[in-house]
Amino acid sequence: MTNRYGIVETENAKWAFEKVKSVSNETYSGKYKSYIKKMPMLIKVNGLAATLAFILSKSGEDNDDKRAYKKIGDQIIEFFNTNNNWKYTEMKEVIEKIVSLNSLEYRENVEKINNILYWMKRFVDGLIKKEGD
């Protein structure tokens, strides 16, 4: 099945499965699971740009919380690069791009990320047994 952007849903599912699977044995996987499950609501309540800024502010390598947010941020960057033919390496660059989009492009990107997060939420439940604090 193809969505309205021409992206085959099985491609989204495969991509999401691989990303979640790559985290399943990490020490921060429980935190990752918890945060992935909260992402769609954060986007709905705060907007995409604000949620990306939140992820950026929480990212780092100091502890499992920060590592989980960093991994989510890196995966979101990769997803947008792949689906929009962008070539960004930093979340700041993605945020700058997102806030510069017109409203139609912004809504399209919200729909794209919500679609991939839908798949990721499903896979974290099956692939990651523990839940973060």
Side-chain angles (χ1 to χ4, degrees):
M1 175 179 221
T2 304
N3 67 20
R4 70 183 195 164
Y5 304 108
I7 299 169
V8 178
E9 288 302 313
T10 54
E11 290 175 14
N12 277 345
K14 180 181 177 187
W15 189 92
F17 178 81
E18 292 301 322
K19 297 308 164 197
V20 171
K21 188 173 109 181
S22 74
V23 174
S24 62
N25 292 321
E26 297 291 342
T27 60
Y28 57 84
S29 65
K31 301 281 187 185
Y32 175 90
K33 176 179 182 176
S34 180
Y35 302 153
I36 282 291
K37 292 173 85 171
K38 294 175 184 176
M39 285 296 131
M41 186 54 72
L42 286 174
I43 293 169
K44 183 176 182 176
V45 171
N46 301 306
L48 178 57
T51 300
L52 296 178
F54 173 76
I55 292 168
L56 176 62
S57 74
K58 296 291 187 179
S59 296
E61 295 293 333
D62 299 349
N63 57 48
D64 283 347
D65 281 323
K66 291 183 178 192
R67 279 189 279 281
Y69 277 114
K70 172 113 174 62
K71 179 55 87 172
I72 291 168
D74 290 346
Q75 290 174 340
I76 288 172
I77 292 168
E78 182 182 341
F79 176 76
F80 280 135
N81 282 341
T82 301
N83 284 279
N84 294 327
N85 294 315
W86 297 348
K87 301 203 180 340
Y88 301 119
T89 58
E90 300 289 329
M91 183 60 81
K92 287 185 221 177
E93 298 169 313
V94 173
I95 294 169
E96 285 178 33
K97 179 64 176 179
I98 291 291
V99 299
S100 74
L101 299 173
N102 66 45
S103 18
L104 176 61
E105 293 169 324
Y106 187 89
R107 283 191 307 271
E108 287 173 350
N109 279 284
V110 168
E111 189 173 325
K112 286 177 186 179
I113 198 66
N114 279 332
N115 182 275
I116 204 68
L117 288 169
Y118 164 83
W119 286 108
M120 293 175 87
K121 280 177 60 175
R122 298 298 172 258
F123 291 131
V124 293
D125 280 335
L127 296 173
I128 300 174
K129 300 301 177 206
K130 59 187 173 184
E131 188 81 30
D133 297 330

